């Protein structure tokens, strides 16, 4: 049990580090709902965007690219952490993640290539940067329990789809209707 103010303050900061990591990983972990959104996104692009013959396999390239971008982003995160500090790097990562989705809302009707860039590259970069930093930072605060601390800080990546997939479905398709396969002129997409 901590007995002086500095020990209590240290413990409070350590707990906030893990809790903040959980929240950050919960945010960027929503990317793991990609498969849940695929039918709706592909259907929307076929109806309103380009190419009209987009396939689910084509759409999965976005997720694959995100996975490819994550690794160099993790390496860059370590460098940025030493130069900028944990807070700025995490803020930067979350800002890139949010910016990617905001831009996707504007470019989804232009061409699928822009969706790959805004969702795939921005999303993968943000996950790589934040995952590395929040886990490593939590481990620094709990040197005797590094594995537990970093696991708790990054658990949001696993929990996020459990929380957000039903919310996404309830907002986008509350009546659980099948995905659109016809355009407004009754032409097969």
């Amino acid at each position: 049990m901590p007995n002086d103010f500095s020990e209590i303050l240290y413990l409070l900061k350590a707990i906030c580090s893990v809790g903040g990591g959980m929240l950050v990983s919960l945010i960027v972990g929503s990317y793991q709902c990609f498969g849940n959104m695929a039918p709706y996104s592909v259907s929307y692009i076929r109806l309103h965007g380009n190419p009209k013959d987009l396939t689910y396999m084509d759409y999965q390239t976005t997720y694959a690219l995100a996975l490819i971008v994550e690794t160099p982003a993790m390496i860059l995160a370590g460098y940025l952490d030493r130069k900028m500090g944990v807070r700025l790097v995490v803020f930067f990562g979350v800002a890139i993640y949010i910016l990617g989705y905001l831009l996707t809302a504007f470019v989804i009707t232009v061409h699928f290539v822009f969706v790959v860039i805004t969702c795939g590259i921005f999303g993968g970069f943000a996950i790589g940067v934040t995952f590395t930093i929040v886990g490593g930072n939590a481990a620094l605060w709990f040197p005797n329990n590094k594995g537990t601390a970093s696991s708790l800080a990054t658990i949001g990546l696993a929990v996020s789809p459990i929380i957000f997939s039903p919310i996404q479905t309830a907002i986008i398709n509350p009546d659980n209707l099948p995905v659109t396969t016809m355009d407004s002129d009754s032409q097969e997409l």
Side-chain angles (χ1 to χ4, degrees):
M1 185 80 177
N3 54 9
D4 71 344
F5 182 72
S6 63
E7 289 179 19
I8 293 171
L9 186 61
Y10 180 87
L11 184 59
L12 182 63
K13 286 180 178 181
I15 291 170
C16 285
S17 171
V18 172
M22 286 176 167
L23 292 175
V24 167
S25 63
L26 189 67
I27 292 167
V28 297
S30 65
Y31 196 81
Q32 306 303 328
C33 300
F34 193 84
N36 184 52
M37 296 299 296
Y40 309 112
S41 300
V42 170
S43 178
Y44 188 85
I45 292 169
R46 286 176 179 169
L47 190 59
H48 300 287
N50 288 308
K52 300 289 185 193
D53 61 347
L54 182 71
T55 67
Y56 292 112
M57 286 299 288
D58 295 335
Y59 192 73
Q60 291 304 320
T61 59
T62 307
Y63 189 75
L65 183 61
L67 294 175
I68 292 168
V69 171
E70 275 183 48
T71 302
M74 288 178 180
I75 296 167
L76 181 62
Y79 174 78
L80 292 175
D81 180 27
R82 287 190 301 275
K83 296 293 182 188
M84 299 169 39
V86 171
R87 290 182 188 153
L88 282 176
V89 174
V90 170
F91 176 80
F92 175 66
V94 172
I96 291 291
Y97 185 77
I98 293 168
L99 179 65
Y101 274 100
L102 287 175
L103 289 174
T104 300
F106 295 105
V107 301
I108 195 166
T109 58
V110 178
H111 200 279
F112 174 64
V113 170
F114 297 115
V115 174
V116 172
I117 293 167
T118 57
C119 267
I121 294 176
F122 284 41
F125 181 82
I127 291 169
V129 167
T130 57
F131 178 78
T132 304
I133 297 301
V134 299
N137 188 53
L140 290 174
W141 283 99
F142 291 95
N144 295 330
N145 297 298
K146 291 179 180 185
T148 302
S150 62
S151 296
L152 288 173
T154 58
I155 199 168
L157 287 170
V159 173
S160 190
I162 297 168
I163 295 170
F164 290 119
S165 286
I167 294 170
Q168 289 172 342
T169 302
I171 292 170
I172 294 173
N173 191 3
D175 298 324
N176 201 25
L177 299 173
V179 175
T180 304
T181 58
M182 301 283 191
D183 66 12
S184 57
D185 298 325
S186 299
Q187 298 293 318
E188 186 74 26
L189 293 175

